[in-house]
Each structure stands twice: as C-alpha cells, then as structure tokens.
mmCIF file of all heavy atoms in Angstrom:
data_model
loop_
_atom_site.group_PDB
_atom_site.id
_atom_site.type_symbol
_atom_site.label_atom_id
_atom_site.label_comp_id
_atom_site.label_asym_id
_atom_site.label_seq_id
_atom_site.Cartn_x
_atom_site.Cartn_y
_atom_site.Cartn_z
ATOM 1 N N SER A 1 -7.542 45.318 -36.496
ATOM 2 C CA SER A 1 -6.333 45.121 -37.432
ATOM 3 C C SER A 1 -6.744 44.574 -38.763
ATOM 4 O O SER A 1 -6.250 44.961 -39.722
ATOM 5 C CB SER A 1 -5.393 44.077 -36.735
ATOM 6 O OG SER A 1 -4.860 44.667 -35.518
ATOM 7 N N GLU A 2 -7.671 43.615 -38.673
ATOM 8 C CA GLU A 2 -8.232 42.981 -39.902
ATOM 9 C C GLU A 2 -8.950 44.034 -40.736
ATOM 10 O O GLU A 2 -8.730 44.118 -42.082
ATOM 11 C CB GLU A 2 -9.116 41.800 -39.603
ATOM 12 C CG GLU A 2 -9.862 41.220 -40.716
ATOM 13 C CD GLU A 2 -8.852 40.305 -41.542
ATOM 14 O OE1 GLU A 2 -7.836 39.896 -40.965
ATOM 15 O OE2 GLU A 2 -9.155 40.042 -42.710
ATOM 16 N N TYR A 3 -9.674 44.956 -40.154
ATOM 17 C CA TYR A 3 -10.517 45.908 -40.989
ATOM 18 C C TYR A 3 -9.533 47.019 -41.482
ATOM 19 O O TYR A 3 -9.767 47.662 -42.558
ATOM 20 C CB TYR A 3 -11.607 46.500 -40.172
ATOM 21 C CG TYR A 3 -12.765 46.942 -41.088
ATOM 22 C CD1 TYR A 3 -13.620 46.039 -41.448
ATOM 23 C CD2 TYR A 3 -12.747 48.249 -41.529
ATOM 24 C CE1 TYR A 3 -14.696 46.455 -42.416
ATOM 25 C CE2 TYR A 3 -13.744 48.677 -42.409
ATOM 26 C CZ TYR A 3 -14.724 47.704 -42.812
ATOM 27 O OH TYR A 3 -15.702 48.136 -43.686
ATOM 28 N N LEU A 4 -8.492 47.230 -40.702
ATOM 29 C CA LEU A 4 -7.512 48.219 -41.178
ATOM 30 C C LEU A 4 -6.958 47.866 -42.590
ATOM 31 O O LEU A 4 -6.793 48.697 -43.418
ATOM 32 C CB LEU A 4 -6.318 48.374 -40.225
ATOM 33 C CG LEU A 4 -5.498 49.647 -40.353
ATOM 34 C CD1 LEU A 4 -6.196 50.860 -40.093
ATOM 35 C CD2 LEU A 4 -4.309 49.535 -39.372
ATOM 36 N N ILE A 5 -6.710 46.536 -42.690
ATOM 37 C CA ILE A 5 -6.294 46.127 -44.116
ATOM 38 C C ILE A 5 -7.330 46.482 -45.109
ATOM 39 O O ILE A 5 -6.954 46.789 -46.247
ATOM 40 C CB ILE A 5 -6.035 44.619 -44.050
ATOM 41 C CG1 ILE A 5 -4.939 44.205 -43.009
ATOM 42 C CG2 ILE A 5 -5.726 43.927 -45.360
ATOM 43 C CD1 ILE A 5 -4.766 42.762 -42.667
ATOM 44 N N HIS A 6 -8.508 46.367 -44.690
ATOM 45 C CA HIS A 6 -9.624 46.727 -45.661
ATOM 46 C C HIS A 6 -9.594 48.225 -46.084
ATOM 47 O O HIS A 6 -9.652 48.610 -47.257
ATOM 48 C CB HIS A 6 -10.959 46.431 -45.033
ATOM 49 C CG HIS A 6 -12.146 46.844 -45.910
ATOM 50 N ND1 HIS A 6 -12.500 46.200 -47.023
ATOM 51 C CD2 HIS A 6 -13.136 47.898 -45.755
ATOM 52 C CE1 HIS A 6 -13.574 46.769 -47.526
ATOM 53 N NE2 HIS A 6 -13.922 47.808 -46.838
ATOM 54 N N PHE A 7 -9.291 49.108 -45.128
ATOM 55 C CA PHE A 7 -9.133 50.480 -45.446
ATOM 56 C C PHE A 7 -7.999 50.710 -46.333
ATOM 57 O O PHE A 7 -8.009 51.511 -47.364
ATOM 58 C CB PHE A 7 -8.858 51.249 -44.095
ATOM 59 C CG PHE A 7 -10.057 51.601 -43.313
ATOM 60 C CD1 PHE A 7 -10.141 51.331 -41.926
ATOM 61 C CD2 PHE A 7 -11.324 52.082 -43.891
ATOM 62 C CE1 PHE A 7 -11.284 51.541 -41.142
ATOM 63 C CE2 PHE A 7 -12.443 52.423 -43.106
ATOM 64 C CZ PHE A 7 -12.401 52.139 -41.812
ATOM 65 N N ILE A 8 -6.848 50.070 -46.051
ATOM 66 C CA ILE A 8 -5.618 50.244 -46.936
ATOM 67 C C ILE A 8 -5.911 49.778 -48.331
ATOM 68 O O ILE A 8 -5.519 50.429 -49.292
ATOM 69 C CB ILE A 8 -4.485 49.580 -46.315
ATOM 70 C CG1 ILE A 8 -4.075 50.290 -44.915
ATOM 71 C CG2 ILE A 8 -3.317 49.567 -47.260
ATOM 72 C CD1 ILE A 8 -3.104 49.427 -44.200
ATOM 73 N N LYS A 9 -6.681 48.659 -48.497
ATOM 74 C CA LYS A 9 -6.924 48.167 -49.767
ATOM 75 C C LYS A 9 -7.807 49.042 -50.542
ATOM 76 O O LYS A 9 -7.688 49.216 -51.786
ATOM 77 C CB LYS A 9 -7.558 46.857 -49.686
ATOM 78 C CG LYS A 9 -6.691 45.641 -49.381
ATOM 79 C CD LYS A 9 -7.289 44.308 -49.184
ATOM 80 C CE LYS A 9 -6.358 43.141 -48.877
ATOM 81 N NZ LYS A 9 -7.061 41.888 -48.829
ATOM 82 N N ILE A 10 -8.746 49.658 -49.918
ATOM 83 C CA ILE A 10 -9.612 50.708 -50.601
ATOM 84 C C ILE A 10 -8.756 51.809 -51.117
ATOM 85 O O ILE A 10 -8.844 52.297 -52.320
ATOM 86 C CB ILE A 10 -10.593 51.287 -49.660
ATOM 87 C CG1 ILE A 10 -11.651 50.145 -49.375
ATOM 88 C CG2 ILE A 10 -11.375 52.454 -50.232
ATOM 89 C CD1 ILE A 10 -12.786 50.531 -48.345
ATOM 90 N N ALA A 11 -7.785 52.258 -50.322
ATOM 91 C CA ALA A 11 -6.898 53.379 -50.790
ATOM 92 C C ALA A 11 -5.980 53.017 -51.955
ATOM 93 O O ALA A 11 -5.916 53.768 -52.895
ATOM 94 C CB ALA A 11 -6.022 53.802 -49.584
ATOM 95 N N GLU A 12 -5.504 51.801 -51.910
ATOM 96 C CA GLU A 12 -4.711 51.322 -52.992
ATOM 97 C C GLU A 12 -5.387 51.130 -54.288
ATOM 98 O O GLU A 12 -5.030 51.502 -55.340
ATOM 99 C CB GLU A 12 -4.094 50.001 -52.625
ATOM 100 C CG GLU A 12 -2.981 50.044 -51.533
ATOM 101 C CD GLU A 12 -2.458 48.718 -51.057
ATOM 102 O OE1 GLU A 12 -3.060 47.727 -51.463
ATOM 103 O OE2 GLU A 12 -1.410 48.703 -50.426
ATOM 104 N N ALA A 13 -6.731 50.662 -54.108
ATOM 105 C CA ALA A 13 -7.586 50.503 -55.303
ATOM 106 C C ALA A 13 -7.854 51.856 -55.947
ATOM 107 O O ALA A 13 -7.971 51.863 -57.293
ATOM 108 C CB ALA A 13 -8.925 49.797 -54.949
ATOM 109 N N ARG A 14 -8.019 52.902 -55.187
ATOM 110 C CA ARG A 14 -8.244 54.186 -55.784
ATOM 111 C C ARG A 14 -6.927 54.860 -56.217
ATOM 112 O O ARG A 14 -6.957 56.023 -56.654
ATOM 113 C CB ARG A 14 -8.975 55.039 -54.761
ATOM 114 C CG ARG A 14 -10.312 54.551 -54.391
ATOM 115 C CD ARG A 14 -10.884 55.405 -53.301
ATOM 116 N NE ARG A 14 -12.245 54.962 -52.892
ATOM 117 C CZ ARG A 14 -12.938 55.393 -51.841
ATOM 118 N NH1 ARG A 14 -12.410 56.276 -51.079
ATOM 119 N NH2 ARG A 14 -14.182 54.948 -51.652
ATOM 120 N N LYS A 15 -5.746 54.246 -56.021
ATOM 121 C CA LYS A 15 -4.536 54.847 -56.294
ATOM 122 C C LYS A 15 -4.215 56.160 -55.555
ATOM 123 O O LYS A 15 -3.542 57.095 -56.075
ATOM 124 C CB LYS A 15 -4.266 54.996 -57.760
ATOM 125 C CG LYS A 15 -4.496 53.849 -58.658
ATOM 126 C CD LYS A 15 -3.414 52.721 -58.226
ATOM 127 C CE LYS A 15 -3.559 51.459 -59.149
ATOM 128 N NZ LYS A 15 -2.595 50.383 -58.773
ATOM 129 N N THR A 16 -4.749 56.120 -54.325
ATOM 130 C CA THR A 16 -4.505 57.412 -53.559
ATOM 131 C C THR A 16 -3.994 57.037 -52.127
ATOM 132 O O THR A 16 -4.026 55.831 -51.797
ATOM 133 C CB THR A 16 -5.840 58.195 -53.329
ATOM 134 O OG1 THR A 16 -6.819 57.397 -52.776
ATOM 135 C CG2 THR A 16 -6.358 58.645 -54.637
ATOM 136 N N THR A 17 -3.627 57.975 -51.393
ATOM 137 C CA THR A 17 -3.154 57.725 -49.981
ATOM 138 C C THR A 17 -4.251 58.225 -49.087
ATOM 139 O O THR A 17 -4.616 59.468 -49.112
ATOM 140 C CB THR A 17 -1.846 58.370 -49.631
ATOM 141 O OG1 THR A 17 -0.832 57.861 -50.549
ATOM 142 C CG2 THR A 17 -1.499 58.163 -48.188
ATOM 143 N N MET A 18 -4.848 57.415 -48.282
ATOM 144 C CA MET A 18 -5.899 57.783 -47.278
ATOM 145 C C MET A 18 -5.195 58.598 -46.275
ATOM 146 O O MET A 18 -4.456 58.044 -45.446
ATOM 147 C CB MET A 18 -6.602 56.585 -46.763
ATOM 148 C CG MET A 18 -7.754 56.953 -45.859
ATOM 149 S SD MET A 18 -8.716 55.447 -45.304
ATOM 150 C CE MET A 18 -9.517 55.153 -46.821
ATOM 151 N N GLY A 19 -5.440 59.877 -46.187
ATOM 152 C CA GLY A 19 -4.771 60.734 -45.156
ATOM 153 C C GLY A 19 -5.118 60.341 -43.760
ATOM 154 O O GLY A 19 -4.310 60.486 -42.904
ATOM 155 N N HIS A 20 -6.491 60.198 -43.574
ATOM 156 C CA HIS A 20 -6.907 59.873 -42.185
ATOM 157 C C HIS A 20 -8.222 59.082 -42.312
ATOM 158 O O HIS A 20 -8.881 59.139 -43.256
ATOM 159 C CB HIS A 20 -6.995 61.130 -41.359
ATOM 160 C CG HIS A 20 -7.986 62.081 -41.949
ATOM 161 N ND1 HIS A 20 -7.642 63.039 -42.984
ATOM 162 C CD2 HIS A 20 -9.306 62.337 -41.663
ATOM 163 C CE1 HIS A 20 -8.753 63.781 -43.282
ATOM 164 N NE2 HIS A 20 -9.705 63.357 -42.512
ATOM 165 N N ILE A 21 -8.486 58.542 -41.132
ATOM 166 C CA ILE A 21 -9.835 57.820 -40.988
ATOM 167 C C ILE A 21 -10.737 58.702 -40.143
ATOM 168 O O ILE A 21 -10.300 59.103 -38.988
ATOM 169 C CB ILE A 21 -9.645 56.371 -40.306
ATOM 170 C CG1 ILE A 21 -8.805 55.534 -41.312
ATOM 171 C CG2 ILE A 21 -10.916 55.762 -39.926
ATOM 172 C CD1 ILE A 21 -8.551 54.244 -40.678
ATOM 173 N N THR A 22 -11.985 58.859 -40.572
ATOM 174 C CA THR A 22 -12.869 59.671 -39.795
ATOM 175 C C THR A 22 -13.927 58.812 -39.194
ATOM 176 O O THR A 22 -14.006 57.560 -39.316
ATOM 177 C CB THR A 22 -13.648 60.595 -40.766
ATOM 178 O OG1 THR A 22 -14.507 59.798 -41.609
ATOM 179 C CG2 THR A 22 -12.652 61.372 -41.598
ATOM 180 N N SER A 23 -14.792 59.489 -38.304
ATOM 181 C CA SER A 23 -15.799 58.682 -37.591
ATOM 182 C C SER A 23 -16.837 58.070 -38.568
ATOM 183 O O SER A 23 -17.400 57.002 -38.390
ATOM 184 C CB SER A 23 -16.556 59.597 -36.672
ATOM 185 O OG SER A 23 -17.075 60.765 -37.374
ATOM 186 N N GLU A 24 -16.887 58.791 -39.862
ATOM 187 C CA GLU A 24 -17.818 58.241 -40.887
ATOM 188 C C GLU A 24 -17.374 56.861 -41.371
ATOM 189 O O GLU A 24 -18.009 55.961 -41.689
ATOM 190 C CB GLU A 24 -18.008 59.239 -41.948
ATOM 191 C CG GLU A 24 -18.847 60.472 -41.649
ATOM 192 C CD GLU A 24 -18.153 61.486 -40.765
ATOM 193 O OE1 GLU A 24 -16.899 61.405 -40.610
ATOM 194 O OE2 GLU A 24 -18.866 62.236 -40.156
ATOM 195 N N HIS A 25 -15.928 56.801 -41.504
ATOM 196 C CA HIS A 25 -15.389 55.512 -41.915
ATOM 197 C C HIS A 25 -15.623 54.445 -40.956
ATOM 198 O O HIS A 25 -16.037 53.310 -41.336
ATOM 199 C CB HIS A 25 -13.835 55.685 -42.098
ATOM 200 C CG HIS A 25 -13.358 56.526 -43.383
ATOM 201 N ND1 HIS A 25 -12.718 57.598 -43.100
ATOM 202 C CD2 HIS A 25 -13.629 56.313 -44.562
ATOM 203 C CE1 HIS A 25 -12.492 58.153 -44.362
ATOM 204 N NE2 HIS A 25 -12.929 57.307 -45.207
ATOM 205 N N LEU A 26 -15.561 54.717 -39.794
ATOM 206 C CA LEU A 26 -15.897 53.707 -38.636
ATOM 207 C C LEU A 26 -17.359 53.376 -38.693
ATOM 208 O O LEU A 26 -17.699 52.174 -38.552
ATOM 209 C CB LEU A 26 -15.428 54.233 -37.215
ATOM 210 C CG LEU A 26 -14.001 54.543 -37.058
ATOM 211 C CD1 LEU A 26 -13.801 55.252 -35.701
ATOM 212 C CD2 LEU A 26 -13.191 53.297 -37.234
ATOM 213 N N GLN A 27 -18.165 54.314 -38.865
ATOM 214 C CA GLN A 27 -19.690 54.134 -38.889
ATOM 215 C C GLN A 27 -20.063 53.273 -40.173
ATOM 216 O O GLN A 27 -21.002 52.598 -40.063
ATOM 217 C CB GLN A 27 -20.363 55.461 -38.906
ATOM 218 C CG GLN A 27 -21.933 55.413 -38.584
ATOM 219 C CD GLN A 27 -22.096 55.150 -37.104
ATOM 220 O OE1 GLN A 27 -21.534 55.701 -36.137
ATOM 221 N NE2 GLN A 27 -22.948 54.093 -36.839
ATOM 222 N N ASP A 28 -19.357 53.572 -41.235
ATOM 223 C CA ASP A 28 -19.731 52.913 -42.473
ATOM 224 C C ASP A 28 -19.124 51.518 -42.645
ATOM 225 O O ASP A 28 -19.316 50.800 -43.614
ATOM 226 C CB ASP A 28 -19.342 53.714 -43.656
ATOM 227 C CG ASP A 28 -20.132 55.028 -43.792
ATOM 228 O OD1 ASP A 28 -21.220 55.085 -43.166
ATOM 229 O OD2 ASP A 28 -19.696 55.941 -44.466
ATOM 230 N N SER A 29 -18.326 51.058 -41.625
ATOM 231 C CA SER A 29 -17.719 49.772 -41.699
ATOM 232 C C SER A 29 -18.750 48.726 -41.559
ATOM 233 O O SER A 29 -19.862 48.863 -40.933
ATOM 234 C CB SER A 29 -16.617 49.601 -40.627
ATOM 235 O OG SER A 29 -17.182 49.812 -39.293
ATOM 236 N N HIS A 30 -18.440 47.596 -42.030
ATOM 237 C CA HIS A 30 -19.358 46.348 -41.921
ATOM 238 C C HIS A 30 -18.542 45.162 -41.403
ATOM 239 O O HIS A 30 -17.559 44.780 -42.048
ATOM 240 C CB HIS A 30 -19.935 45.902 -43.310
ATOM 241 C CG HIS A 30 -20.811 47.050 -43.839
ATOM 242 N ND1 HIS A 30 -22.090 47.197 -43.405
ATOM 243 C CD2 HIS A 30 -20.634 47.935 -44.824
ATOM 244 C CE1 HIS A 30 -22.652 48.339 -44.068
ATOM 245 N NE2 HIS A 30 -21.769 48.695 -45.008
ATOM 246 N N ILE A 31 -18.822 44.671 -40.250
ATOM 247 C CA ILE A 31 -18.161 43.609 -39.588
ATOM 248 C C ILE A 31 -19.101 42.593 -39.069
ATOM 249 O O ILE A 31 -20.309 42.824 -38.823
ATOM 250 C CB ILE A 31 -17.170 44.089 -38.489
ATOM 251 C CG1 ILE A 31 -18.038 44.671 -37.281
ATOM 252 C CG2 ILE A 31 -16.250 45.074 -38.966
ATOM 253 C CD1 ILE A 31 -17.222 45.085 -36.086
ATOM 254 N N ILE A 32 -18.539 41.367 -38.786
ATOM 255 C CA ILE A 32 -19.252 40.283 -38.136
ATOM 256 C C ILE A 32 -19.288 40.486 -36.646
ATOM 257 O O ILE A 32 -18.249 40.880 -36.045
ATOM 258 C CB ILE A 32 -18.712 38.998 -38.556
ATOM 259 C CG1 ILE A 32 -18.834 38.727 -39.968
ATOM 260 C CG2 ILE A 32 -19.303 37.778 -37.656
ATOM 261 C CD1 ILE A 32 -18.032 37.483 -40.488
ATOM 262 N N LEU A 33 -20.485 40.192 -36.001
ATOM 263 C CA LEU A 33 -20.565 40.396 -34.522
ATOM 264 C C LEU A 33 -20.858 38.920 -34.013
ATOM 265 O O LEU A 33 -22.086 38.608 -33.972
ATOM 266 C CB LEU A 33 -21.694 41.359 -34.018
ATOM 267 C CG LEU A 33 -21.472 42.821 -34.594
ATOM 268 C CD1 LEU A 33 -22.743 43.670 -34.179
ATOM 269 C CD2 LEU A 33 -20.220 43.359 -34.093
ATOM 270 N N PRO A 34 -19.972 38.177 -33.564
ATOM 271 C CA PRO A 34 -20.132 36.870 -33.001
ATOM 272 C C PRO A 34 -20.906 36.938 -31.674
ATOM 273 O O PRO A 34 -20.728 38.002 -30.988
ATOM 274 C CB PRO A 34 -18.770 36.231 -32.874
ATOM 275 C CG PRO A 34 -17.886 37.170 -33.721
ATOM 276 C CD PRO A 34 -18.415 38.501 -33.714
ATOM 277 N N PRO A 35 -21.478 35.900 -31.261
ATOM 278 C CA PRO A 35 -22.152 35.936 -29.936
ATOM 279 C C PRO A 35 -21.111 35.875 -28.768
ATOM 280 O O PRO A 35 -19.978 35.502 -29.017
ATOM 281 C CB PRO A 35 -23.047 34.607 -29.976
ATOM 282 C CG PRO A 35 -22.452 33.775 -31.029
ATOM 283 C CD PRO A 35 -21.775 34.710 -31.934
ATOM 284 N N ALA A 36 -21.659 36.177 -27.588
ATOM 285 C CA ALA A 36 -20.660 36.379 -26.426
ATOM 286 C C ALA A 36 -19.943 35.065 -26.112
ATOM 287 O O ALA A 36 -18.784 35.150 -25.761
ATOM 288 C CB ALA A 36 -21.568 36.807 -25.210
ATOM 289 N N ASN A 37 -20.653 33.942 -26.220
ATOM 290 C CA ASN A 37 -19.867 32.683 -25.762
ATOM 291 C C ASN A 37 -18.704 32.351 -26.784
ATOM 292 O O ASN A 37 -17.629 31.870 -26.334
ATOM 293 C CB ASN A 37 -20.847 31.470 -25.773
ATOM 294 C CG ASN A 37 -21.353 31.118 -27.102
ATOM 295 O OD1 ASN A 37 -21.977 32.052 -27.859
ATOM 296 N ND2 ASN A 37 -21.222 29.931 -27.535
ATOM 297 N N ILE A 38 -18.830 32.706 -27.989
ATOM 298 C CA ILE A 38 -17.755 32.536 -28.989
ATOM 299 C C ILE A 38 -16.662 33.507 -28.716
ATOM 300 O O ILE A 38 -15.438 33.093 -28.705
ATOM 301 C CB ILE A 38 -18.266 32.746 -30.509
ATOM 302 C CG1 ILE A 38 -19.377 31.827 -30.859
ATOM 303 C CG2 ILE A 38 -17.072 32.686 -31.423
ATOM 304 C CD1 ILE A 38 -18.914 30.429 -30.855
ATOM 305 N N ILE A 39 -16.924 34.794 -28.390
ATOM 306 C CA ILE A 39 -15.915 35.772 -27.936
ATOM 307 C C ILE A 39 -15.130 35.230 -26.816
ATOM 308 O O ILE A 39 -13.884 35.302 -26.641
ATOM 309 C CB ILE A 39 -16.482 37.155 -27.726
ATOM 310 C CG1 ILE A 39 -17.131 37.621 -29.096
ATOM 311 C CG2 ILE A 39 -15.400 38.104 -27.248
ATOM 312 C CD1 ILE A 39 -16.150 37.907 -30.197
ATOM 313 N N LYS A 40 -15.922 34.773 -25.781
ATOM 314 C CA LYS A 40 -15.270 34.306 -24.472
ATOM 315 C C LYS A 40 -14.328 33.140 -24.768
ATOM 316 O O LYS A 40 -13.126 33.127 -24.204
ATOM 317 C CB LYS A 40 -16.372 33.955 -23.544
ATOM 318 C CG LYS A 40 -15.938 33.354 -22.140
ATOM 319 C CD LYS A 40 -17.071 33.101 -21.237
ATOM 320 C CE LYS A 40 -16.593 32.528 -19.927
ATOM 321 N NZ LYS A 40 -15.914 31.262 -20.076
ATOM 322 N N ASN A 41 -14.725 32.195 -25.543
ATOM 323 C CA ASN A 41 -13.881 31.035 -25.808
ATOM 324 C C ASN A 41 -12.719 31.408 -26.594
ATOM 325 O O ASN A 41 -11.564 30.921 -26.371
ATOM 326 C CB ASN A 41 -14.632 29.943 -26.518
ATOM 327 C CG ASN A 41 -15.851 29.359 -25.667
ATOM 328 O OD1 ASN A 41 -15.758 29.431 -24.459
ATOM 329 N ND2 ASN A 41 -16.827 28.749 -26.301
ATOM 330 N N PHE A 42 -12.814 32.249 -27.586
ATOM 331 C CA PHE A 42 -11.675 32.691 -28.388
ATOM 332 C C PHE A 42 -10.677 33.420 -27.530
ATOM 333 O O PHE A 42 -9.452 33.207 -27.679
ATOM 334 C CB PHE A 42 -12.241 33.588 -29.535
ATOM 335 C CG PHE A 42 -11.094 34.215 -30.288
ATOM 336 C CD1 PHE A 42 -10.332 33.438 -31.163
ATOM 337 C CD2 PHE A 42 -10.693 35.529 -30.173
ATOM 338 C CE1 PHE A 42 -9.215 33.963 -31.891
ATOM 339 C CE2 PHE A 42 -9.674 36.155 -30.857
ATOM 340 C CZ PHE A 42 -8.946 35.325 -31.851
ATOM 341 N N SER A 43 -11.130 34.374 -26.651
ATOM 342 C CA SER A 43 -10.294 35.150 -25.770
ATOM 343 C C SER A 43 -9.465 34.234 -24.904
ATOM 344 O O SER A 43 -8.317 34.496 -24.658
ATOM 345 C CB SER A 43 -11.025 36.148 -25.038
ATOM 346 O OG SER A 43 -11.757 36.991 -25.915
ATOM 347 N N GLU A 44 -10.045 33.113 -24.426
ATOM 348 C CA GLU A 44 -9.335 32.207 -23.549
ATOM 349 C C GLU A 44 -8.248 31.387 -24.296
ATOM 350 O O GLU A 44 -7.152 31.214 -23.711
ATOM 351 C CB GLU A 44 -10.320 31.178 -22.942
ATOM 352 C CG GLU A 44 -11.233 31.859 -21.879
ATOM 353 C CD GLU A 44 -12.295 30.819 -21.382
ATOM 354 O OE1 GLU A 44 -12.377 29.773 -21.940
ATOM 355 O OE2 GLU A 44 -13.085 31.169 -20.450
ATOM 356 N N TYR A 45 -8.388 31.342 -25.622
ATOM 357 C CA TYR A 45 -7.408 30.745 -26.450
ATOM 358 C C TYR A 45 -6.182 31.642 -26.670
ATOM 359 O O TYR A 45 -5.075 31.239 -26.558
ATOM 360 C CB TYR A 45 -7.950 30.342 -27.835
ATOM 361 C CG TYR A 45 -8.489 28.933 -27.922
ATOM 362 C CD1 TYR A 45 -9.769 28.613 -27.613
ATOM 363 C CD2 TYR A 45 -7.645 27.873 -28.331
ATOM 364 C CE1 TYR A 45 -10.332 27.372 -27.717
ATOM 365 C CE2 TYR A 45 -8.196 26.643 -28.333
ATOM 366 C CZ TYR A 45 -9.530 26.346 -28.173
ATOM 367 O OH TYR A 45 -9.951 25.028 -28.254
ATOM 368 N N VAL A 46 -6.511 32.919 -27.028
ATOM 369 C CA VAL A 46 -5.430 33.850 -27.466
ATOM 370 C C VAL A 46 -4.797 34.650 -26.309
ATOM 371 O O VAL A 46 -3.753 35.156 -26.486
ATOM 372 C CB VAL A 46 -5.903 34.714 -28.528
ATOM 373 C CG1 VAL A 46 -6.358 33.980 -29.787
ATOM 374 C CG2 VAL A 46 -7.028 35.691 -28.048
ATOM 375 N N ARG A 47 -5.587 34.716 -25.131
ATOM 376 C CA ARG A 47 -4.991 35.562 -24.102
ATOM 377 C C ARG A 47 -3.583 35.180 -23.665
ATOM 378 O O ARG A 47 -2.703 36.021 -23.387
ATOM 379 C CB ARG A 47 -6.029 35.585 -22.888
ATOM 380 C CG ARG A 47 -5.560 36.639 -21.771
ATOM 381 C CD ARG A 47 -6.720 36.919 -20.893
ATOM 382 N NE ARG A 47 -7.851 37.624 -21.623
ATOM 383 C CZ ARG A 47 -9.130 37.333 -21.640
ATOM 384 N NH1 ARG A 47 -9.518 36.281 -20.941
ATOM 385 N NH2 ARG A 47 -9.995 37.984 -22.277
ATOM 386 N N PRO A 48 -3.311 33.838 -23.446
ATOM 387 C CA PRO A 48 -1.881 33.462 -23.112
ATOM 388 C C PRO A 48 -0.860 33.977 -24.083
ATOM 389 O O PRO A 48 0.313 34.309 -23.759
ATOM 390 C CB PRO A 48 -1.990 31.848 -22.979
ATOM 391 C CG PRO A 48 -3.386 31.606 -22.792
ATOM 392 C CD PRO A 48 -4.169 32.662 -23.554
#
C-alpha cells in the first residue's frame, strides 16, 4: 500500500495516467527489508 502511493506519485509527476503496473515495475522497486524478529513483533501489534 505504501509503495502504491509511490507509483501514483510518479504518474502524477509525469502528468500522465499509469495504465497498469508490470512485473518490471515490481522488479525495479526499492524497499526496506527488516529482519524477521521485527516483522514478527510488528505483526503481533497490528494483527488484532
């Protein structure tokens, strides 16, 4: 959801409408990969 905002912002900056997202868009994305213990703890917070 967070990265989707990034895609939309790119489209708005170019003043165009992004018709679709391709596998290349996903492959070219850049995200943070937290370690397993952080993901586990976070999930326990938000799961309820």
Side-chain angles (χ1 to χ4, degrees):
S1 298
E2 177 73 20
Y3 207 85
L4 193 64
I5 297 170
H6 176 72
F7 282 132
I8 294 171
K9 284 182 179 178
I10 290 175
E12 290 175 347
R14 295 174 179 172
K15 302 298 181 185
T16 60
T17 299
M18 184 175 290
H20 60 275
I21 291 176
T22 66
S23 58
E24 286 75 19
H25 288 117
L26 299 172
Q27 194 71 49
D28 291 342
S29 61
H30 296 285
I31 64 171
I32 294 170
L33 301 178
N37 66 306
I38 299 295
I39 297 295
K40 179 177 180 293
N41 293 339
F42 174 74
S43 300
E44 289 175 355
Y45 268 92
V46 298
R47 189 161 293 135

